Amino acid sequence: MPVAKISPKRTPMSEQPADKRRHNFDEVPYGYTPEQAMAEAQRCLQCKKPSCVSGCPVQVDIPGFIREVAQGNFLEAVKIMKRTNVLPAICGRVCPQEVQCEGACILGKKMEPVAIGNLERFIADWEATQPECVMCEIQPATGKKVAVVGAGPAGLTIAGDMRKLGHSVTIFEALHKPGGVLMYGIPEFRLPKAVVEREVNFLLSMGVELKLDYVVGKLKTIDELLGEYDAVFVGTGAGLPLFMGIPGENSLGIYSANEYLTRSNLMKAYLFPKYDTPIVRGKQVAVIGGGNVAMDAARTALRLGAERVVLIYRRSRDEMPARAAEIHHAEEEGVEFQLLTNPVRYIADEQGWVKEVECLRMELGEPDASGRRRPVPVPNSEFRIPVDTVVVAIGNSPNPLIPQTTPGLETTKRGTLLVDPNTGKTTKKGVFAGGDIVTGAATVILAMGAGRVAAKAMDEFLRTGQW
Ligand SMILES: Cc1cc2nc3c(=O)[nH]c(=O)nc-3n(C[C@H](O)[C@H](O)[C@H](O)COP(=O)(O)OP(=O)(O)OC[C@H]3O[C@@H](n4cnc5c(N)ncnc54)[C@H](O)[C@@H]3O)c2cc1C
Ligand code: SF4
């Protein structure tokens, strides 16, 4: 198709107006209609050397599935997608496409890149409206048994891949719902829980077994699992919240983002009184941090009834790690940004409840090890913000339970598991790992990519016995 005929702008997706959505937990974007999806798919150049595919950690055949969407062959598009991605409805919603496939799209050099994520979401949602879902081909049974610890994106991906290869797979999940951060962290308005359930049910329909409320390291150790299974994958994520360690941080009303979001999402505090899960519905909320987790916490606080939500971030907007779309959504909904600002202490009332956060203004110095410009405090710039609730969203580290209870499993200084990045092999024979437990807090698609890499190596190990 000649470039001149291509619309320079991507097909927009309509969404709930900001003043309405800030009072409800319904999903924000509405998704494409079939006509919109076909129009957007027709913008794709069908490149011979598609740079978008190399930008995708699970190597989805992007031009292949887009070609089918462009022609209205949605079923064929689903089949192509499911060869490499068992969680398309999730990736289409939360993957940072702007820095991955879409960031690498050739069209992006001259005009807006193809909206690959929106198309991925469209075909997954289209499939959900069909009477039967597309099944993956499952190879003949190998008689080998695999245990997967953790039902987040890394665990779900390796479970799907290993099942397709004919192995029998059991997932052990500590919580009462599978999905990991997709279920307990990312809020309903960005990723409806029914979507996660749908993708998990697809895996179960392939014959993957799921044991919930099962904390490995407590109920059984990895060594005990190795006695019953031929190989084990550890995908337990990075669920241990970090705090700043500043004075007053133990005051009442100060949450970690993990606890705040888990209470709201997984324990459905937002559906009060149907679910009577306690959560502080603060009126003056401060959220500390500038990543996706901070945006989710700030937008959740608004929806829980806050009058003012202030997001405090120590660098400038350009350095914010959150996705641009989510920063934009938060701003539209009325989250106030205090940029170049760092909390230094919390001040509590006589009952020990937080009432103010004291902050310092910052300016940017030279780049640090992360490549981002280092924030430097401006002397004597202290000021206070009145608050009754604070959510700290400055990062997470891996839960130490499995490393602590598994002899021979080596960790790095950061507490992450040591693995060979090309295979996901840990320092213990038969044990593989991937996702946030290896990288530290990262992204859904990187966790899925790690699950895929480990599946390939694990399959080889099971077939050859060679470590
Ligand atoms: C609020 C929030 C928003 C985010 N937004 C985005 C986004 O928009 N886009 C994006 O790409 N990424 C986002 N991320 C990051 C992304 O969700 C993670 O990188 C990804 O989920 C990591 O996957 P994982 O499978 O390694 O771990 P997890 O998703 O953490 O799953 C690990 C699972 O293991 C279970 N587990 C832990 N210990 C044990 C044990 N001992 N026994 C059994 N089970 C155990 C846990 O309960 C959990 O279910 C976000 C993260 C958060 C917290
Ligand atoms: S790089 Fe862009 S235009 Fe080329 S095949 Fe991929 S999505 Fe289509």
Side-chain angles (χ1 to χ4, degrees):
M1 195 183 292
V3 182
K5 289 196 180 156
I6 292 177
S7 158
K9 297 253 175 230
R10 56 170 65 198
T11 311
M13 189 183 274
S14 52
E15 53 186 37
Q16 267 201 80
D19 55 341
K20 181 171 169 220
R21 68 180 193 244
R22 59 171 282 169
H23 301 294
N24 69 53
F25 276 82
D26 298 342
E27 194 173 12
V28 172
Y30 291 134
Y32 277 160
T33 61
E35 295 72 27
Q36 287 172 326
M38 286 170 70
E40 181 59 22
Q42 281 155 11
R43 295 181 66 234
C44 173
L45 301 168
Q46 291 295 311
C47 307
K48 289 272 176 297
K49 285 193 187 148
S51 47
C52 54
V53 179
S54 15
C56 169
V58 297
Q59 309 274 288
V60 167
D61 175 4
I62 293 168
F65 98 79
I66 293 185
R67 181 185 60 240
E68 300 301 336
V69 176
Q71 292 165 10
N73 301 331
F74 304 142
L75 184 62
E76 212 41 53
V78 177
K79 286 184 189 159
I80 294 174
M81 173 65 66
K82 285 203 168 168
R83 272 186 222 139
T84 43
N85 187 349
V86 281
L87 309 173
I90 293 166
C91 290
R93 287 172 163 83
V94 302
C95 267
Q97 293 104 4
E98 61 279 8
V99 293
Q100 294 176 337
C101 53
E102 293 177 10
C105 170
I106 305 288
L107 216 57
K109 291 199 168 150
K110 296 241 163 90
M111 45 184 90
E112 287 187 357
V114 176
I116 302 168
N118 291 353
L119 292 173
E120 187 177 18
R121 171 190 163 140
F122 167 77
I123 60 144
D125 289 356
W126 174 85
E127 190 198 9
T129 64
Q130 302 306 297
E132 281 185 32
C133 71
V134 173
M135 289 311 295
C136 291
E137 200 181 314
I138 295 176
Q139 291 182 16
T142 60
K144 299 286 183 190
K145 289 168 68 186
V146 173
V148 173
V149 186
L156 296 174
T157 302
I158 190 170
D161 281 9
M162 293 307 280
R163 186 67 203 113
K164 282 191 221 165
L165 290 163
H167 307 298
S168 98
V169 181
T170 307
I171 306 179
F172 296 88
E173 167 54 47
L175 296 172
H176 63 284
K177 288 268 185 195
V181 171
L182 308 175
M183 196 50 107
Y184 75 75
I186 303 181
E188 181 79 14
F189 53 84
R190 213 150 65 78
L191 180 63
K193 301 309 144 207
V195 170
V196 183
E197 276 164 16
R198 195 168 85 211
E199 309 268 44
V200 172
N201 286 341
F202 174 68
L203 283 183
L204 300 184
S205 72
M206 285 164 62
V208 170
E209 200 190 337
L210 177 63
K211 288 188 195 284
L212 296 171
D213 300 313
Y214 203 113
V215 183
V216 173
K218 292 270 183 208
L219 292 178
K220 265 191 187 157
T221 61
I222 296 284
D223 278 317
E224 284 169 322
L225 288 181
L226 280 173
E228 295 168 39
Y229 294 85
D230 299 292
V232 176
F233 176 82
V234 181
T236 45
L240 197 67
L242 298 174
F243 283 92
M244 294 178 69
I246 56 177
E249 215 173 16
N250 282 335
S251 306
L252 296 170
I254 303 187
Y255 282 99
S256 71
N258 272 45
E259 181 181 347
Y260 190 69
L261 291 170
T262 303
R263 278 177 189 262
S264 177
N265 298 328
L266 187 67
M267 298 164 77
K268 304 259 192 286
Y270 74 92
L271 290 180
F272 181 84
K274 198 170 154 202
Y275 287 78
D276 193 6
T277 302
I279 194 164
V280 177
R281 291 168 180 263
K283 293 287 171 217
Q284 311 266 348
V285 182
V287 175
I288 319 298
N292 285 320
V293 185
M295 295 304 147
D296 284 347
R299 297 171 71 199
T300 294
L302 276 181
R303 284 159 172 81
L304 289 173
E307 283 157 11
R308 182 182 185 211
V309 178
V310 182
L311 187 124
I312 301 175
Y313 180 56
R314 64 194 184 133
R315 291 185 161 96
S316 80
R317 194 193 173 101
D318 288 348
E319 287 84 24
M320 272 193 169
R323 297 186 64 194
E326 304 314 335
I327 297 173
H328 175 65
H329 279 147
E331 257 181 342
E332 276 186 340
E333 288 164 13
V335 173
E336 236 175 85
F337 286 14
Q338 279 283 349
L339 300 172
L340 288 165
T341 303
N342 205 23
V344 285
R345 70 176 174 128
Y346 296 102
I347 297 125
D349 64 16
E350 303 76 53
Q351 280 79 41
W353 200 274
V354 66
K355 64 170 188 179
E356 281 176 322
V357 49
E358 187 168 296
C359 302
L360 269 182
R361 296 276 181 215
M362 311 294 275
E363 55 194 12
L364 292 178
E366 291 305 307
D368 60 15
S370 74
R372 293 176 300 174
R373 293 179 63 194
R374 188 192 300 272
V376 184
V378 176
N380 305 320
S381 62
E382 287 87 351
F383 70 102
R384 292 182 182 185
I385 301 173
V387 290
D388 55 18
T389 310
V390 175
V391 185
V392 182
I394 58 161
N396 287 303
S397 61
N399 189 313
L401 180 62
I402 297 236
Q404 278 170 1
T405 53
T406 316
L409 207 56
E410 277 183 45
T411 50
T412 66
K413 270 190 276 179
R414 295 161 61 215
T416 53
L417 289 184
L418 202 62
V419 302
D420 175 343
N422 300 314
T423 58
K425 284 181 183 170
T426 64
T427 49
K428 192 175 175 81
K429 187 176 176 191
V431 182
F432 296 76
D436 283 5
I437 179 83
V438 169
T439 53
T443 61
V444 172
I445 196 75
L446 285 176
M448 291 178 65
R452 164 122 326 130
V453 166
K456 197 160 167 274
M458 190 188 271
D459 179 55
E460 203 169 300
F461 168 65
L462 293 180
R463 288 177 200 274
T464 63
Q466 297 212 327
W467 186 249

